[in-house]
Amino acid sequence: MALTPGARLGVYEITGPIGAGGMGEVYRARDTKLNRDVAIKVLPEAFALDTDRVARFAREAQVLASLNHPNIAAIYGIEKTAGTEVLVLELVEGPTLAERIAEGALPVDQALPIAMQIADALDAAHGLGIIHRDLKPANIKVRDDGTVKVLDFGLAKALQENASAPDVTHSPTLSLAATRMGMILGTAAYMAPEQAKGKAVDKRTDIWAFGCVLYEMLTGQMAFPGEDVSEILASVIKGTTNLDLLPAGTHPALRALVARCIEKDVRKRRRDIGDVRYELERIQADPGGTLTHPAAGVAGAPSRRMLPWVAAAVALTALVVGAAVWSLKPAPPQESRPVARFSYTLPENRAFRSTGRPVVAMAPDGRHFVLNEDNGLYLRSMDGLNANLIQGTEMPLTTPFFSPDGQWVGFFAGDELKKIPVTGGTAVVLCKATNPFGAHWGADDTILFGQPEGIMRVSANGGTAEPLIAAEKGTQAHGAQMLPGGEWVLYSVASGIVPNRWDTAEIVAQSLTSGERKVLWRGGSDARYLTTGHLIYALGDALLALPFDLERVQVTGGPVPLVDGLQRATNPSQQTATAHYGVSDGGTLLYAVGASTASQLRTLAWVDRSGREEAIPAPPRAYVSPRISPDGTQVALDVRDQENDIWVWSLARATLTRLTFDSGLDRYPVWTPDGRRVVFSSARDGAGPGSLFWQAADGTGVAEQLTTSQRVQFPWSISADGTQLALEEQGRPSTGTDVLVLALAGERRVRPLVATTFTESSAELSRDSRWLAYQSNESGRSEVYVRPFPGVDGGRWQVSTGGGADPLWAPNSRELFYVDVEGRIVAASIQPGPGFVAGNPRVIVDGPFTTTIPGLGGRMYDVSPDGQRFLMVKTVEGAGQQAPRPQVIVVQNWFDELTRLAPRP
């Protein structure tokens, strides 16, 4: 199906051809709905007529769409228009690697950066269980800035295209019925032997193709040439590769690496592309060729073997020296690896049980995790697809946790603490234990666990539990962990029995030698110490990090949000601090998602000063942070459901329109004073964890980036003249969360406005731009304060009494509203005059409204332009929505992301 410029396929307008192959014709097109250029692959007619293949591809495309990596060209979707199956892809400018190689071999200093980016892409995909199957130079593009993009990821499997082409170097995917194992998928010149034979393939097949591509970059020649497909396949299966064609002076380790990647025996081939990436980095850093390197492992390569007694002596010497060095030096830092995420959804008719206690646990070595499901503990290995029941756990139990070696799982059942091998069998009773509040199996083979009377300790071999730290009257201790060194115990402590008490709890460390207790942080619970030098803890449905000095046993910076949507204990009064997450020693994060407060259905309503309520007919959605436009006709909303985007509700037309379409978690909208733009925070690609953007309020054009920060930023308010934006930035060195101001006119510079060692947020400028209101915990709890603006000198006044948050100025700047500790809207009158004088606060809105969402942030109310009505949010009770199936998220190599988001001072 040939298309000409100007032709339309749904919302896509063809602007010109790009190329064609066995998998279809590719065109450049304009997405007229989202105003962006895309690549359109029109799939072959035979494909479109095969309904089974289309259905299979649609399922596969969902997996491929989960790939989100800077070196992987994205798949936006698959659509059917006018009877034609269309694949919508990211448009990548620049030549293919095949075109680069056609001009001659690449110098090593050019080939290595390209190879490392290809390896990064493969590593990210392999982490999600996705194999490319058709890696070749024609499927790799190199942009002008040097960025590599791997194309058609996984499409060889998804499409299973049967066509072939005369030019075998650019031949399409082959599909030849072979064995009952399935189909031969790939391009002949880059197929691994097992792939060419029709056998099952795994990630080592991609490593073979990677070796072929690397060889071709360095030599300008194919690793396995031939005049036709049959000759190439014969060469792949039986032939050899001439490594002597590699450039003279090739680094010995590079020569060995190429050989190990194209090793025909899959058992001897390199097994992990991440390790290949690491070797390439070492080679690049060692141009002199001084690195030692493994034997090539290729037929015909020279083999050097030590005499047995020499080998034994060398091994013994290495053992002794290695032990000495190990005892004197800390372990080297892990090399940076791409962060990879995947999800695991519980099968139908299975659910978590006892969710008031932990339902997930991650093995310290990161090789598997365990889930507490309705009929037992299920173990899922990272290299497996399914979670399998641990035989012997078919009983009511709670709080699974791993032994340090990952071979045992501890749990509580029938007023006893027990352990069982991960392979199943008979559970071993360790001690008596009643109502558990967290448990941790330490490296010294003792188990710490919480009980109503405090923290207990017992040997992992069993015995009588002994009291370790007594709970003070009226308090409860949760989640004890022995810190490295064996002196300090980390745990959370809360007072009273009130809703959300664990969100106002203290995270403490107590010395077992002196009895000294240090309050490390107020406001959060279920903390864990990580070897990166961080404490992580839960607040609401968020997971946050604090930089932590282990030697001084103190927090050294402010909190940084890491994860939203974390599932917490589901009992009504939140009697436990349980957050359903775990972290391995090597940096794999596991957490459960589900009944998140952020994703609850909510509606909107007007409430006047007399308490009269008027419903707004907006459909129930997960609304957060409503903001009324300056003219009062529209409401910008942060919608926290599948899209996590900014939407606009038209009060006049009663319609809800999506404003942003990026997958980067767009949050916290703020209108400009002229109503023409909406500012918001976004973590979209290249923007950091939460930089600021603005977008035309009518949806035209594209979003413009205002700031670039490696810390999370939220916009709060804009001065009346539209030139200055007050914002919040989290995770700032030494000062934590602070109030800053961004100049919107001229050079866009950010400068601190209120920056102390306390947490300052929710910065609201008065409508006359004379005053700045904000909340701070400098008194030990959140209170609302006011300072002059734009300067920070000239005084500071506390407006709230007994706690307050989320301030908002009245349109005439004569009142300051805020939310008190009971969730009511309170107003304080501001007397006119040159100075600041506030009256006594009085309640003006009380009722069943959602004014705060713990751990989420964002002001949950707004005031009309005339100052007489308040836009409120209400949680929908019994909305009848179908509960999503329980799911856990796994993030591998997460420590790299953690240290980037929360750098230590």
Side-chain angles (χ1 to χ4, degrees), residues 498-687:
V498 295
N500 297 325
R501 63 191 177 121
W502 289 106
D503 282 345
T504 58
E506 294 179 340
I507 299 170
V508 303
Q510 186 157 332
S511 171
L512 297 182
T513 56
S514 67
E516 177 189 4
R517 179 196 285 186
K518 294 185 177 183
V519 177
L520 304 176
W521 192 257
R522 290 184 174 90
S525 57
D526 206 0
R528 322 279 170 90
Y529 169 76
L530 303 180
T531 56
T532 56
H534 294 86
L535 298 183
I536 56 174
Y537 68 98
L539 179 65
D541 63 357
L543 188 66
L544 301 96
L546 291 164
F548 183 70
D549 188 320
L550 179 63
E551 184 177 348
R552 294 184 293 168
V553 192
Q554 68 181 38
V555 169
T556 58
V560 176
L562 304 171
V563 168
D564 284 327
L566 175 68
Q567 187 174 349
R568 299 296 303 274
T570 54
N571 46 325
S573 59
Q574 205 177 1
Q575 295 296 304
T576 78
T578 296
H580 299 297
Y581 77 98
V583 185
S584 74
D585 294 341
T588 297
L589 170 67
L590 165 75
Y591 64 98
V593 295
S596 164
T597 56
S599 60
Q600 290 177 344
L601 295 182
R602 292 181 274 271
T603 57
L604 305 175
W606 286 114
V607 179
D608 65 18
R609 290 175 179 261
S610 66
R612 186 172 61 242
E613 181 178 339
E614 177 186 345
I616 295 175
R621 296 285 296 270
Y623 299 129
V624 174
S625 192
R627 295 294 180 268
I628 303 171
S629 63
D631 63 5
T633 63
Q634 301 180 90
V635 180
L637 296 154
D638 174 347
V639 181
R640 296 290 180 93
D641 48 25
Q642 294 90 344
E643 291 85 8
N644 284 317
D645 277 297
I646 307 299
W647 294 65
V648 175
W649 170 258
S650 170
L651 292 166
R653 299 170 54 229
T655 57
L656 186 64
T657 305
R658 189 174 176 180
L659 180 63
T660 68
F661 291 82
D662 195 272
S663 60
L665 194 63
D666 298 339
R667 300 175 287 178
Y668 306 120
V670 173
W671 292 89
T672 56
D674 60 8
R676 296 175 60 186
R677 294 187 179 95
V678 174
V679 181
F680 57 92
S681 173
S682 179
R684 55 187 64 193
D685 288 346

Side-chain angles (χ1 to χ4, degrees), residues 794-813:
R796 176 182 59 85
W797 299 270
Q798 180 178 325
V799 177
S800 59
T801 58
D806 296 330
L808 171 65
W809 292 94
N812 61 7
S813 301

Side-chain angles (χ1 to χ4, degrees), residues 348-372:
E348 286 191 63
N349 303 318
R350 292 209 335 234
F352 292 130
R353 64 176 170 184
S354 301
T355 52
R357 298 293 188 275
V359 297
V360 303
M362 170 61 69
D365 61 8
R367 296 177 61 183
H368 41 243
F369 58 86
V370 72
L371 308 174
N372 187 15

